[in-house]
Amino acid sequence: NWHSHLPPLFAGAVAVFVLILSPFWTYQWTQVPFLGVSLEQNNVVSQINGTNWPARMQGVAFKERLMALNGEAVPDIRDVQRVLIANGYQPVEAAFLKPNGQTYTITVTPIHPPVVDVISLFVVPYIAGILFLIIGFWAYRLKPQLWESRALVLFVSGVTIMLATFLDISMTHHATILWSLAILQTAGGLIYLAFVFPQPVRFVRAV
């Protein structure tokens, strides 16, 4: 049944598309002055920390929220990047909100993103994602008629998307929705794989 091949092939195609786009997103991020903090949605500080990140070294902590730069409100990451690009590598006043409601301001001198952090946050996960996808496609090419092969492609495609966009989800947020969907796909692919490998469970075999 050729219809059963569409989900894994579509998932694999999306993963390849993400592998193509994510290096461009990473390059764009490296060209923007870096405040020295990883921001989740709504500019909440994440747990990720790196090498000599300026804001982190001044005490900015997990769960705090970036509210303003140079007195200008920055409700999302696009506003943060816009202000930082305009400011360049000059000191910037950054206002943060603590979970207890207290606000404070620090003066941060942006830096170029450290190469070691680009490697650990993007290059290593990216290569791991490629390897996962190669394994999935290799198994599918050998035995495309097996449910196990199709389940594996679904699973590794989701993993590849999550790995390739790890830096993006932590810094630039181009693929936020896609990353969220990849979590569901990975879980679904893993459940599907559990149903058919090493042997299909009875109700799956009967379908």
Side-chain angles (χ1 to χ4, degrees):
N1 189 345
W2 64 271
H3 293 90
S4 63
H5 294 270
L6 291 180
L9 291 178
F10 177 76
V14 173
V16 171
F17 182 67
V18 170
L19 286 173
I20 294 172
L21 283 182
S22 55
F24 292 99
W25 294 335
T26 301
Y27 174 76
Q28 290 176 344
W29 173 68
T30 62
Q31 302 308 300
V32 177
F34 181 46
L35 196 62
V37 66
S38 169
L39 299 174
E40 298 176 348
Q41 295 300 308
N42 300 319
N43 290 342
V44 175
V45 177
S46 76
Q47 297 185 62
I48 297 174
N49 198 355
T51 306
N52 298 324
W53 287 9
R56 282 292 208 165
M57 292 180 68
Q58 293 195 47
V60 175
F62 173 51
K63 292 186 178 181
E64 295 180 355
R65 182 179 180 185
L66 176 62
M67 302 298 293
L69 292 173
N70 285 339
E72 180 178 347
V74 284
D76 59 41
I77 195 64
R78 302 290 171 259
D79 294 307
V80 173
Q81 293 178 331
R82 175 178 53 78
V83 174
L84 288 175
I85 290 173
N87 183 81
Y89 294 93
Q90 302 301 313
V92 59
E93 298 291 321
F96 288 88
L97 174 67
K98 293 185 176 182
N100 63 7
Q102 180 183 354
T103 60
Y104 67 96
T105 301
I106 59 174
T107 300
V108 182
T109 301
I111 61 173
H112 294 279
V115 174
V116 64
D117 294 318
V118 175
I119 292 173
S120 63
L121 296 176
F122 175 72
V123 176
V124 173
Y126 184 84
I127 293 175
I130 291 176
L131 294 177
F132 267 101
L133 197 61
I134 289 174
I135 292 171
F137 281 157
W138 173 71
Y140 181 81
R141 183 177 180 276
L142 290 177
K143 299 286 185 178
Q145 75 280 6
L146 294 182
W147 289 36
E148 295 93 323
S149 299
R150 285 170 265 173
L152 182 62
V153 172
L154 279 173
F155 171 67
V156 300
S157 296
V159 172
T160 296
I161 293 171
M162 292 172 62
L163 289 171
T165 58
F166 180 74
L167 184 141
D168 174 77
I169 201 68
S170 306
M171 300 293 181
T172 53
H173 306 168
H174 290 98
T176 302
I177 296 177
L178 187 60
W179 193 85
S180 300
L181 293 175
I183 296 177
L184 298 177
Q185 178 185 320
T186 302
L190 189 59
I191 294 172
Y192 181 17
L193 191 60
F195 280 150
V196 299
F197 182 83
Q199 293 293 330
V201 297
R202 182 175 301 175
F203 73 87
V204 174
R205 191 183 301 116
V207 174

